[in-house]
């Protein structure tokens, strides 16, 4: 396991990933298919929401990112709570809905057309909260999406981070397709107290 560190504002999250200590952002550059595992309250949702917020701010500011080929590209984040997964719709339909695309009989074609103009970071939270049959369906649809993008040579245009608790989720299928598992460690009490005091101080200063 490596030890990955991610800053959420001034708060540092630590995760295990192959025995080395690395920033989580560095891991994301090495692997754009990630299973973010951790115990309840460990910081998974906090990290996903912070990532979503930061990418939205960069979009608003007109900041583009360089892809792996060094080409500048817009990066669009999508945050989906899998606990609210609609059994009557597909993951691709949910993604297209979050992108503001009209309903389509061919959501895969609609989504891949978006990837011609930007990159997407897909943040999937709470996969362990889904009923087992829906979870299996969701994982199958994630892998189907990967296969479609691989055939079109578009895999690098989509980053997928799946957050889950370590129990109630079988990561074997995703890991067999190249997904890297990163395990967030719970925050120490001192970290929580320090971060809380900083937040209270910032709020008081703004008032």
């Amino acid at each position: 396991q490596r030890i990955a560190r991610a800053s959420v504002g001034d708060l540092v999250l630590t995760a295990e990933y192959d025995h080395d200590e690395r920033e989580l952002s560095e891991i994301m550059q090495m692997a754009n298919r990630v299973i973010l595992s951790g115990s309840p309250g460990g910081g998974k949702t906090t990290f996903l929401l912070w990532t979503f917020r930061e990418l939205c701010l960069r979009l608003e500011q007109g900041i583009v990112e360089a892809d792996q080929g060094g080409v500048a590209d817009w990066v669009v984040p999508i945050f989906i709570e899998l606990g609210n997964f609609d059994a009557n719709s597909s993951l691709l339909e949910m993604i297209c809905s979050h992108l503001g695309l009209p309903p389509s009989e061919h959501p895969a074609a609609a989504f891949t057309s978006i990837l011609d103009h930007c990159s997407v970071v897909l943040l999937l939270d709470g996969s362990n909260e889904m009923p087992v049959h829906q979870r299996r369906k969701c994982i199958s649809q994630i892998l189907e999406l990967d296969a479609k993008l691989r055939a079109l040579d578009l895999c690098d245009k989509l980053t997928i981070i799946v957050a889950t608790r370590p129990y109630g989720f079988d990561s074997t299928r995703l890991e067999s397709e190249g997904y890297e598992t990163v395990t967030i460690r719970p925050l120490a009490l001192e970290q929580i107290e320090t971060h809380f005091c900083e937040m209270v101080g910032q709020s008081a200063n703004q008032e």
Side-chain angles (χ1 to χ4, degrees):
Q1 299 285 321
R2 291 194 185 116
I3 304 228
R5 301 177 66 197
S7 295
V8 179
D10 295 325
L11 186 64
V12 176
L13 301 179
T14 304
E16 296 180 358
Y17 182 69
D18 280 355
H19 298 297
D20 296 327
E21 184 166 325
R22 298 178 183 269
E23 293 291 332
L24 191 51
S25 59
E26 183 181 350
I27 292 175
M28 297 307 169
Q29 292 174 2
M30 296 187 298
N32 63 354
R33 298 293 187 275
V34 175
I35 302 167
L36 191 62
S37 177
S39 58
K44 302 180 300 299
T45 300
T46 297
F47 175 72
L48 293 188
L49 289 173
W50 180 84
T51 300
F52 178 79
R53 174 182 176 276
E54 289 298 303
L55 291 175
C56 285
L57 288 175
R58 295 179 76 82
L59 268 180
E60 289 179 1
Q61 295 166 3
I63 299 174
V64 296
E65 306 286 349
D67 63 16
Q68 294 182 350
V71 178
D73 204 1
W74 297 103
V75 178
V76 178
I78 301 173
F79 178 85
I80 296 178
E81 293 179 315
L82 292 178
N84 299 327
F85 188 84
D86 185 353
N88 297 317
S89 66
S90 68
L91 178 63
L92 264 172
E93 288 172 336
M94 294 179 70
I95 292 172
C96 289
S97 175
H98 278 72
L99 288 171
L101 299 176
S104 169
E105 294 182 0
H106 306 286
F111 179 58
T112 53
S113 68
I114 289 291
L115 295 180
D116 288 334
H117 306 285
C118 68
S119 295
V120 171
V121 175
L122 181 59
L123 307 164
L124 303 175
D125 191 33
S127 55
N128 56 282
E129 298 173 9
M130 307 172 73
V132 174
H133 67 284
Q134 288 189 20
R135 190 185 312 140
R136 290 173 178 164
K137 176 183 175 182
C138 182
I139 291 175
S140 294
Q141 291 180 2
I142 290 172
L143 295 177
E144 288 170 7
L145 174 58
D146 274 337
K148 288 185 175 73
L149 297 183
R150 197 176 302 114
L152 297 171
D153 197 24
L154 288 173
C155 277
D156 290 342
K157 300 280 282 184
L158 175 65
T159 295
I160 302 177
I161 306 176
V162 184
T164 182
R165 295 178 183 177
Y167 49 84
F169 181 78
D170 183 4
S171 60
T172 306
R173 290 179 64 194
L174 292 178
E175 288 177 336
S176 67
E177 295 295 330
Y179 280 71
E180 300 278 2
T181 296
V182 174
T183 304
I184 285 187
R185 291 179 175 175
L187 293 172
L189 180 59
E190 294 78 8
Q191 288 178 295
I192 298 172
E193 290 176 343
T194 300
H195 187 59
F196 178 76
C197 291
E198 288 173 352
M199 290 176 61
V200 171
Q202 290 172 3
S203 177
N205 290 335
Q206 290 174 359
E207 292 177 1

